Amino acid sequence: MFTPATDPSGALVEQVDLAPLRQGPLDGLKFTVKDNIDLAGYKTSYGSPAWRDAHPAPIHNALCVDQLLGAGARCVGKVVADEFTYSLDGESFYFGTPRNAKAPDRVPGGSSSGSAASVANGLADFSLCTDAGGSIRVPASLCGLWGMRPSLHRISEAGVLPFQPSVSTVGVLADRFDVLNAAMRVLLNSPTLPVSSPRRILLLHDALEIADCAVRDQAGVALQRIAANIGTTIETIRFSEIVGEPCELNDCNLNGLRDLQTAEFQSTVGNWIEASKPQLGFTFSMAYEHVQKFERIAALDNMARCERLFRQINAFVAADTVICFPTTPKIAPFKGSLNTLKAVMDFYDPTMTITAFAGVARLPEVAAPLLTVEGCPVGLSFVAGHYQDEFLLNAVREMVG
Amino acid sequence: MFTPATDPSGALVEQVDLAPLRQGPLDGLKFTVKDNIDLAGYKTSYGSPAWRDAHPAPIHNALCVDQLLGAGARCVGKVVADEFTYSLDGESFYFGTPRNAKAPDRVPGGSSSGSAASVANGLADFSLCTDAGGSIRVPASLCGLWGMRPSLHRISEAGVLPFQPSVSTVGVLADRFDVLNAAMRVLLNSPTLPVSSPRRILLLHDALEIADCAVRDQAGVALQRIAANIGTTIETIRFSEIVGEPCELNDCNLNGLRDLQTAEFQSTVGNWIEASKPQLGFTFSMAYEHVQKFERIAALDNMARCERLFRQINAFVAADTVICFPTTPKIAPFKGSLNTLKAVMDFYDPTMTITAFAGVARLPEVAAPLLTVEGCPVGLSFVAGHYQDEFLLNAVREMVG
């Protein structure tokens, strides 16, 4: 355990204090940085003590960190990431389980577990973090925070450790929408871009079907309120209508993104692990067994399927359209409960069926902390077209703000 | 010098023989791989002996290599790259100057110098390589080859050494258009995507103005032939008309991409150099002095300018439009002539003014070996809209094929 004893949130790897580089729209805001993003002079651990010890400290901040410092924000901490960011549960063998402030006996979700905990426990206004398979959206949902995964490659990844280059994104977790919006607009490099209002709101039926009953009901209530807010109706749509041919939502993950992600992870972290034979934490080493055995040739056809799904979904999602669904199908699992294969599958499979939709379509997704089930938070997600990140932020403000 | 004595092209770092993984559209074709792209079991040097010695051999091929092997092609060599791929001239302090087959007393261009030489000297049908600031397009132009830089991030970079994440692409150099087309369609993951014909061909006047007189004249002749081929006229357009406000073509580089590239290079290779203090070649160490001194905060406003140019250019370039211009403003410089600051500036500044157009706009560009000046080759380039890579390949076939 490396968590400083003085941090009851369990989020901090290291307290830091980087002053703003100049004034700007983020004046007065404090942020933390996930431990796979470079801070000059501090070792980046990637959630792995072995990685940390094998690599020198960077002399430059990641460019996205400098963007935030250059817009007036102050960096106050380096925070816990799941080991190699290859997890959605937020229980680190080495760095512990950051505290889920709204459901303390449950996991915070991962891999941006420390990012979520640092914000939800009041250490920072927002956190700079990363999302490939759901690493921002899942902790946003399970901890009751705002989170955004932008369109693929909208934000510079210079100084962010390579993970899954065709899927990885840099984004933000925040406690308030206006903070999320301000930080994302800085990172998106489009402070003055004009935006329009949403005209068409679609509810993705397939995601509702996967969700727990109570989540589904709560989502229905929240969407009724949103529809009333903006004076429109909400249409229900099936994934096969979006794609324009018979298919299932879980094709995005099972027959597409999952294999691409595994193959890409082999090429980034996998090569290093095979050459260095580092100590691996228990949970990660279980997951890595699958990575090791994976036959890359299986990924080639799935890459073409991902490209096809990307094109089909993008041909459907017009510039005035927002698609919504529960961010995760369930509330957070109890801490320590993901200790059987069945429990792991029950958590990951339906979760990734939903998160892979924006992933395969390379679309921006905002997770909003709008639902409560059994006293625990669940997110409601909004997705817009490719590179329509600014439109999405504006649409969410109009619908929910 | 590491070039095998048996290779008169000077292209090879190492001869390899990787059989196809299965049959496919690239059956019978041989390719080489630039030495910043992983081949399993071989050290990747990044054009730097120091980098090579400090890093273990990968156990996986880059995913783009597996795509080609999985489509029937055979890999026959690992080929020279300029040091850290941070150059456009193709003269490596460590690996020598690969032979420019059509102009043997001149440089091949870089950084994909070995890729170009391996194809132009008949060692392979095509080469898998990378382009950020022009590293595919410049050697294509100077060696008389077909080359393509795809839309940003269309091709997986898993197993490709991180360079400039917001600018870097994976692409191909080839000796024939049909080979370029076949290899790119495999890498683009869209073998069956339907494509339309070009309706509007625009000649970028600002690039012509920068080009040498003879290059400009030759481009005019070639474009007349193309216009006749497809029965259309070619309109001339100014960069300011594309962007929709007063500006210069060199804004793409000088007030945009250049600083972003420098900042991103600091975060990837720069961090490693600062931590490891490796031996650096003479030419690279000169260039690196500028990188070391660069103040990152200067890049922040330029990042926003890049985003704005991207949006402006993309709003203009419709799905049926092709923009053309000379790939480079001049023929290749003589070997050993880039030895004064003035000579270096005369080569780089006008070249990057042109190459930064597709770079900042994240657009696909095909360089076609259509011009000859003083007996030396120069390319004619064609650019299409974002993610319109397949349309561009088809348009080039109809115009030139």
Side-chain angles (χ1 to χ4, degrees), chain B residues 102-114:
Chain B
K102 290 176 184 151
D105 52 351
R106 294 173 184 269
V107 304
S111 67
S112 307
S113 55

Side-chain angles (χ1 to χ4, degrees), chain A residues 47-97:
Chain A
S48 157
W51 178 283
R52 182 196 58 200
D53 295 345
H55 292 84
I59 68 150
H60 299 288
N61 296 327
L63 200 47
C64 49
V65 171
D66 281 336
Q67 286 182 272
L68 297 172
L69 296 173
R74 174 178 292 271
C75 178
V76 298
K78 172 185 272 296
V79 291
V80 173
D82 283 348
E83 193 169 0
F84 298 110
T85 69
Y86 198 74
S87 159
L88 294 176
D89 56 58
E91 298 186 290
S92 166
F93 183 79
Y94 294 109
F95 293 87
T97 303

Side-chain angles (χ1 to χ4, degrees), chain A residues 21-22 38 56-63 66-67 69-71 152-159 162 165-166 187-193 260 263-268 270-272 274-276 288 291-292 294 296-297 299-301 303-305 307-308 310-311 362 386-390, chain B residues 21-22 38 56-63 66-67 69-71 152-159 162 165-166 187-193 260 263-268 270-272 274-276 288 291-292 294 296-297 299-301 303-305 307-308 310-311 362 386-390:
Chain A
L21 293 170
R22 55 185 186 186
D38 284 348
I59 68 150
H60 299 288
N61 296 327
L63 200 47
D66 281 336
Q67 286 182 272
L69 296 173
L152 188 66
H153 301 307
R154 268 298 302 270
I155 297 175
S156 170
E157 283 154 87
S166 298
L187 294 166
L188 292 166
N189 278 305
S190 55
T192 59
L193 196 75
L260 175 57
E264 295 207 328
F265 188 69
Q266 284 183 327
S267 275
T268 54
N271 274 337
W272 182 77
E274 295 305 320
S276 311
Y288 187 67
V291 175
Q292 246 178 340
F294 178 73
R296 291 163 79 80
I297 198 160
L300 300 183
D301 295 331
M303 286 175 76
R305 214 169 286 133
E307 184 66 29
R308 187 176 159 84
F310 163 73
R311 290 188 175 269
R362 309 174 200 171
H386 193 222
Y387 275 35
Q388 298 291 323
D389 301 69
E390 295 82 357
Chain B
L21 292 170
R22 54 186 186 186
D38 284 347
I59 67 151
H60 300 288
N61 296 326
L63 200 48
D66 281 336
Q67 284 182 274
L69 296 173
L152 187 66
H153 300 308
R154 266 300 300 272
I155 296 175
S156 171
E157 283 154 87
S166 298
L187 293 167
L188 292 166
N189 278 307
S190 55
T192 59
L193 196 74
L260 175 56
E264 295 207 328
F265 188 70
Q266 284 184 328
S267 275
T268 54
N271 274 336
W272 182 78
E274 295 304 321
S276 310
Y288 186 67
V291 175
Q292 244 176 341
F294 179 74
R296 292 163 79 80
I297 199 161
L300 299 183
D301 295 332
M303 286 175 76
R305 215 170 285 130
E307 183 67 28
R308 186 174 160 87
F310 162 73
R311 290 188 174 268
R362 309 174 200 170
H386 194 224
Y387 276 36
Q388 298 292 322
D389 301 70
E390 295 82 358

Side-chain angles (χ1 to χ4, degrees), chain A residues 40-358:
Chain A
Y42 297 87
K43 287 199 166 211
T44 312
S45 83
Y46 219 153
S48 157
W51 178 283
R52 182 196 58 200
D53 295 345
H55 292 84
I59 68 150
H60 299 288
N61 296 327
L63 200 47
C64 49
V65 171
D66 281 336
Q67 286 182 272
L68 297 172
L69 296 173
R74 174 178 292 271
C75 178
V76 298
K78 172 185 272 296
V79 291
V80 173
D82 283 348
E83 193 169 0
F84 298 110
T85 69
Y86 198 74
S87 159
L88 294 176
D89 56 58
E91 298 186 290
S92 166
F93 183 79
Y94 294 109
F95 293 87
T97 303
R99 182 169 176 270
N100 185 333
K102 290 176 184 150
D105 51 351
R106 294 174 183 267
V107 303
S111 64
S112 307
S113 54
S115 290
S118 68
V119 173
N121 290 284
L123 273 63
D125 299 292
F126 69 95
S127 187
L128 183 67
C129 38
T130 56
D131 183 310
S135 284
I136 289 176
R137 295 164 288 166
V138 171
S141 183
L142 305 189
C143 292
L145 293 168
W146 292 91
M148 182 169 183
R149 168 202 165 89
S151 296
L152 188 66
H153 301 307
R154 268 298 302 270
I155 297 175
S156 170
E157 283 154 87
V160 181
L161 292 174
F163 181 59
Q164 295 165 344
S166 298
V167 193
S168 300
T169 61
V170 174
V172 165
L173 283 159
D175 63 343
R176 301 202 317 263
F177 173 77
D178 61 338
V179 172
L180 179 85
N181 184 51
M184 285 302 303
R185 291 298 290 251
V186 167
L187 294 166
L188 292 166
N189 278 305
S190 55
T192 59
L193 196 75
V195 287
S196 56
S197 296
R199 285 169 191 274
R200 197 172 178 209
I201 302 174
L202 304 171
L203 174 60
L204 184 60
H205 186 75
D206 312 59
L208 278 193
E209 284 181 328
I210 296 165
D212 281 357
C213 258
V215 171
R216 190 159 58 217
D217 293 346
Q218 286 283 308
V221 172
L223 287 166
Q224 291 296 340
R225 203 169 51 232
I226 288 169
N229 266 2
I230 59 168
T232 186
T233 55
I234 293 175
E235 306 164 52
T236 296
I237 194 157
R238 291 193 168 271
F239 181 66
S240 56
E241 294 174 79
I242 292 176
V243 172
E245 64 183 23
C247 58
E248 304 286 338
L249 182 59
N250 68 17
D251 285 336
C252 297
N253 183 38
L254 297 184
N255 300 315
L257 215 53
R258 188 177 61 169
D259 282 357
L260 175 57
Q261 290 184 265
T262 305
E264 295 207 328
F265 188 69
Q266 284 183 327
S267 275
T268 54
V269 177
N271 274 337
W272 182 77
I273 290 176
E274 295 305 320
S276 311
K277 307 287 181 202
Q279 198 197 356
L280 302 176
F282 178 74
T283 316
F284 176 78
S285 63
M286 293 294 104
Y288 187 67
E289 269 184 32
H290 166 72
V291 175
Q292 246 178 340
K293 285 184 203 144
F294 178 73
E295 292 286 347
R296 291 163 79 80
I297 198 160
L300 300 183
D301 295 331
N302 285 6
M303 286 175 76
R305 214 169 286 133
C306 285
E307 184 66 29
R308 187 176 159 84
L309 283 167
F310 163 73
R311 290 188 175 269
Q312 290 169 321
I313 296 170
N314 277 270
F316 178 88
V317 183
D320 63 356
T321 299
V322 172
I323 299 176
C324 51
F325 47 84
T327 309
T328 57
K330 300 172 199 282
I331 59 174
F334 286 110
K335 290 198 277 189
S337 70
L338 297 174
N339 53 7
T340 65
L341 185 62
K342 181 176 181 313
V344 168
M345 302 275 280
D346 282 354
F347 175 60
Y348 276 84
D349 280 357
T351 301
M352 295 187 73
T353 293
I354 294 179
T355 59
F357 172 67

Side-chain angles (χ1 to χ4, degrees), chain B residues 136-384:
Chain B
I136 289 175
R137 295 164 288 166
V138 172
S141 183
L142 304 188
C143 292
L145 293 168
W146 292 91
M148 183 169 182
R149 168 202 165 88
S151 296
L152 187 66
H153 300 308
R154 266 300 300 272
I155 296 175
S156 171
E157 283 154 87
V160 181
L161 291 175
F163 181 58
Q164 296 166 343
S166 298
V167 193
S168 302
T169 61
V170 174
V172 165
L173 282 159
D175 63 345
R176 300 202 319 264
F177 173 77
D178 62 338
V179 172
L180 179 84
N181 185 50
M184 285 301 303
R185 292 298 290 249
V186 167
L187 293 167
L188 292 166
N189 278 307
S190 55
T192 59
L193 196 74
V195 286
S196 55
S197 295
R199 287 170 190 273
R200 195 171 180 210
I201 302 175
L202 303 172
L203 175 60
L204 184 60
H205 185 76
D206 313 58
L208 277 194
E209 285 182 326
I210 296 166
D212 281 355
C213 260
V215 171
R216 190 159 57 215
D217 294 346
Q218 286 283 307
V221 172
L223 287 167
Q224 291 296 338
R225 204 168 53 234
I226 287 169
N229 264 4
I230 59 167
T232 185
T233 56
I234 293 176
E235 306 164 53
T236 296
I237 193 157
R238 291 193 167 271
F239 181 65
S240 55
E241 293 174 80
I242 292 176
V243 171
E245 64 184 19
C247 58
E248 304 287 337
L249 182 58
N250 69 16
D251 285 337
C252 297
N253 183 38
L254 296 185
N255 300 316
L257 215 53
R258 188 177 62 169
D259 283 357
L260 175 56
Q261 290 184 266
T262 305
E264 295 207 328
F265 188 70
Q266 284 184 328
S267 275
T268 54
V269 176
N271 274 336
W272 182 78
I273 290 176
E274 295 304 321
S276 310
K277 306 288 179 202
Q279 200 198 353
L280 303 176
F282 178 74
T283 317
F284 176 78
S285 63
M286 293 294 104
Y288 186 67
E289 269 183 32
H290 167 72
V291 175
Q292 244 176 341
K293 285 183 202 144
F294 179 74
E295 292 285 347
R296 292 163 79 80
I297 199 161
L300 299 183
D301 295 332
N302 285 7
M303 286 175 76
R305 215 170 285 130
C306 285
E307 183 67 28
R308 186 174 160 87
L309 284 166
F310 162 73
R311 290 188 174 268
Q312 289 168 321
I313 297 170
N314 276 271
F316 178 88
V317 185
D320 62 356
T321 299
V322 172
I323 299 176
C324 50
F325 47 83
T327 308
T328 57
K330 301 170 197 284
I331 60 174
F334 287 110
K335 290 198 277 190
S337 70
L338 297 173
N339 53 8
T340 64
L341 185 61
K342 180 175 182 316
V344 169
M345 302 276 279
D346 283 354
F347 175 60
Y348 277 85
D349 279 358
T351 303
M352 294 187 73
T353 293
I354 295 179
T355 57
F357 173 67
V360 81
R362 309 174 200 170
L363 299 179
E365 177 175 338
V366 169
L370 296 180
L371 315 181
T372 306
V373 168
E374 299 174 34
C376 297
V378 180
L380 189 61
S381 267
F382 302 92
V383 162

